[in-house]
Amino acid sequence: MAQNYDIVILGGGTGGYVAAIRAAQLGLKTAIVEKGNLGGTCLHKGCIPSKALLRSAEVYATTKNHAADFGVNTREVTLDFSRVQARKESIVSQLHQGVQGLMKKGKIDVFEGTGRMLGPSIFSPSPGGTVSVEMNNGEENEMLIPKNVIIATGSRPRSLPGLTIDGTQVMTSDEALVMTELPKSILIVGGGVIGIEWASMLNDFGVEVTVIEYADRIIPTEDADVSKEMQKLLAKKGITFATSAKVLAETLETSEGSVTISAEFKGETKTFTAEKMLVSVGRQANVENIGIENTDIVVDKGFVQVKNTFQTKESHIYAIGDVIGGLQLAHVASHEGITAVEHIAGQKTHAIDYNLVSRCIYSNPEAASVGITQQQAKEQGFDVKVGKFSFKAIGKALVYGESDGFVKIIADKNTNDILGVHMIGPHVTDMISEAGLAMVLDATPWEIANTIHPHPTLSEVMGEAALAVEGKAIHM
């Protein structure tokens, strides 16, 4: 029997379930179709489990290498990786139960299966069409008749052409998250955000790590000063880097306990060998097998094309999150979902300014940024002024035992507008929101500097960096 809905959402990841909650708040009858677990990649294969592992790695490395610095004498420090994984699973399970509870609270129907858009049919002659759900449990397909559809099917790890992922020795982050044992050594192909988080984590766990990056620097989308500092600090911890290196996929060889691959590096072919390999070269949208061919939706370069209202070429079908490309971040997908639902409900919406979205790297050290880099500012014709302040002059950083890194503020000389803020150091992913709010409110460095930051806190670095824009930093 066909069921009618105001909105049917394909995908129950962060963007999908947040959109569903907002729709329920607005009184819209809503259904989610999810073939996996509610919470999607972020909760089960990305943000949460990886950060749980990163935290365990940080605690282990700190205890093993730095406990004595704090006057804490320990016996031999050992790692029980099975308990590390059990803690990760416990956190994921708790949050998964929370999302399930939110669905019940909002009276949101959840269909566990694969949804496909069929277009107008005998069930639904209206433009809203029909969504067929192939149920996971093998029961007869459910037929849903929506007035509107939101595609929130997310993404999955991509590989390099010709590079075969076997899931055991050559892995993506999906397989790496469920490793039962740590390798002695690993090659990480890709020095972007995910690659660097894994490099940092595995290094802290005691794994010998080599990162191979095609660009001339790691985390190439971040400010060059942050990239340089990150590589310096991670190299100091023992991670090996090969940048400007083109991996030759056809040279991949695997044998029991060994992976070998070659890359064009510094004008010659260099061979790299380790026990395992992690491929981290970006993510591709899940656009297959959802019925796009039954619509007029445009897919370009693998991503669904949308307006700033997140409508596709078919006005009753919206798309949000990783499936539309752009900033593939959970918090971005959530806001896109809210915007799409509010547009469906006839509320006034505003286009998301992606320049104001904070971006975070949860490595050790952490990095975070909002706005444009210094190089981008110059390319866009801005006459810039820069303030930069080191954590080494921040009392709380010294107390905390982590004083590497800095905060860098880029401003327009002519208008005094903040163009970008870039951080690397302790807990900067928790501090970047101050910079994000400052940019949303169109604050100037003067206004940040005149916000009295409590002492002693790590946040004092923001005030000092803002003062440094005008050459007025106090503790420099």
Side-chain angles (χ1 to χ4, degrees):
M1 173 135 181
Q3 301 183 57
N4 293 278
Y5 290 94
D6 294 310
I7 300 177
V8 170
I9 300 170
L10 301 183
T14 306
Y17 85 71
V18 168
I21 291 170
R22 183 64 185 127
Q25 290 173 344
L26 293 171
L28 300 173
K29 187 179 180 183
T30 304
I32 285 179
V33 182
E34 171 56 58
K35 67 178 180 180
N37 292 317
L38 284 173
T41 295
C42 179
L43 178 52
H44 298 280
K45 296 182 178 180
C47 319
I48 299 301
S50 66
K51 278 46 175 185
L53 295 182
L54 278 158
R55 175 59 176 157
S56 290
E58 180 187 20
V59 170
Y60 175 63
T62 300
T63 306
K64 183 179 180 181
N65 302 323
H66 302 292
D69 298 341
F70 293 87
V72 178
N73 296 318
T74 60
R75 295 182 179 180
E76 182 182 3
V77 178
T78 60
L79 180 70
D80 184 344
F81 194 63
S82 64
R83 291 192 66 180
V84 169
Q85 288 285 29
R87 177 178 184 271
K88 177 203 76 177
E89 292 300 326
S90 176
I91 292 169
V92 170
S93 177
Q94 182 178 339
L95 292 171
H96 182 216
Q97 290 173 26
V99 174
Q100 290 174 314
L102 291 170
M103 297 301 99
K104 292 178 181 177
K105 179 182 177 183
K107 296 181 173 57
I108 298 160
D109 292 338
V110 178
F111 294 88
E112 297 179 355
T114 300
R116 298 182 183 86
M117 298 173 289
L118 301 181
S121 70
I122 58 171
F123 296 103
S124 174
S126 70
T130 307
V131 171
S132 171
V133 183
E134 182 181 340
M135 301 299 288
N136 290 345
N137 58 14
E139 292 183 358
E140 185 178 350
N141 286 10
E142 293 280 355
M143 302 300 290
L144 313 182
I145 302 175
K147 293 179 182 176
N148 298 277
V149 174
I150 297 178
I151 301 171
T153 47
S155 65
R156 62 188 184 275
R158 70 167 70 244
S159 184
L160 294 173
L163 192 61
T164 302
I165 306 295
D166 62 29
T168 303
Q169 285 185 272
V170 182
M171 307 175 291
T172 68
S173 57
D174 285 359
E175 295 84 26
L177 278 170
V178 295
M179 286 190 295
T180 56
E181 294 181 357
L182 289 167
K184 290 184 174 61
S185 59
I186 194 165
L187 299 175
I188 298 180
V189 178
V193 174
I194 296 174
I196 291 304
E197 287 185 352
W198 275 96
S200 172
M201 175 210 303
L202 292 172
N203 171 261
D204 278 349
F205 276 139
V207 178
E208 181 183 324
V209 178
T210 299
V211 176
I212 307 172
E213 167 57 41
Y214 179 76
D216 60 359
R217 58 187 176 93
I218 62 171
I219 47 174
T221 58
E222 295 300 315
D223 188 85
D225 285 349
V226 170
S227 175
K228 181 180 179 181
E229 182 79 354
M230 180 70 80
Q231 183 164 333
K232 182 187 79 172
L233 295 176
L234 292 182
K236 186 178 178 182
K237 292 169 63 175
I239 297 175
T240 300
F241 292 95
T243 55
S244 299
K246 180 183 179 181
V247 168
L248 303 174
E250 68 276 9
T251 65
L252 174 66
E253 294 183 5
T254 61
S255 59
E256 189 173 348
S258 177
V259 175
T260 300
I261 199 164
S262 297
E264 294 177 358
F265 178 59
K266 293 185 176 179
E268 59 184 35
T269 299
K270 181 175 181 178
T271 300
F272 299 85
T273 302
E275 190 175 316
K276 290 183 182 291
M277 177 187 290
L278 173 64
V279 180
S280 179
V281 291
R283 299 183 66 84
Q284 64 187 86
N286 294 323
V287 295
E288 305 87 359
N289 202 32
I290 59 173
I292 285 180
E293 67 278 5
N294 299 322
T295 73
D296 291 329
I297 292 172
V298 176
V299 176
D300 184 41
K301 297 179 181 177
F303 296 104
V304 175
Q305 300 301 293
V306 295
K307 304 174 184 177
N308 59 21
T309 56
F310 303 106
Q311 289 170 291
T312 65
K313 190 174 180 181
E314 299 227 19
S315 61
H316 64 283
I317 303 177
Y318 293 66
I320 62 168
D322 286 9
V323 78
I324 67 172
L327 292 176
Q328 294 180 308
L329 303 169
H331 47 289
V332 170
S334 295
H335 279 267
E336 290 173 345
I338 290 170
T339 300
V341 167
E342 291 180 346
H343 188 264
I344 289 170
Q347 296 197 344
K348 184 177 181 180
T349 60
H350 299 279
I352 295 176
D353 185 347
Y354 292 97
N355 191 50
L356 302 180
V357 174
S358 297
R359 308 173 296 276
C360 298
I361 305 172
Y362 297 87
S363 49
N364 183 14
E366 293 184 346
S369 60
V370 63
I372 59 178
T373 67
Q374 186 171 354
Q375 181 63 34
Q376 288 170 333
K378 290 181 178 178
E379 290 171 354
Q380 293 175 28
F382 290 103
D383 189 7
V384 302
K385 52 185 177 180
V386 176
K388 192 174 178 181
F389 199 85
S390 172
F391 277 103
K392 293 188 185 301
I394 299 297
K396 183 65 178 290
L398 296 174
V399 169
Y400 198 73
E402 295 185 20
S403 58
D404 287 323
F406 57 82
V407 168
K408 175 180 179 179
I409 298 177
I410 303 160
D412 183 350
K413 272 186 182 179
N414 298 317
T415 65
N416 216 27
D417 289 337
I418 297 172
L419 301 174
V421 180
H422 306 273
M423 307 179 174
I424 180 169
H427 292 282
V428 295
T429 61
D430 297 312
M431 291 168 40
I432 192 63
S433 290
E434 178 183 351
L437 179 61
M439 291 190 65
V440 167
L441 297 179
D442 202 22
T444 64
W446 180 90
E447 288 166 311
I448 293 177
N450 279 275
T451 300
I452 299 177
H453 293 79
H455 175 77
T457 63
L458 295 174
S459 69
E460 290 177 273
V461 72
M462 270 294 291
E464 289 278 17
L467 286 168
V469 171
E470 301 295 347
K472 298 179 180 178
I474 301 298
H475 292 95
M476 186 182 286

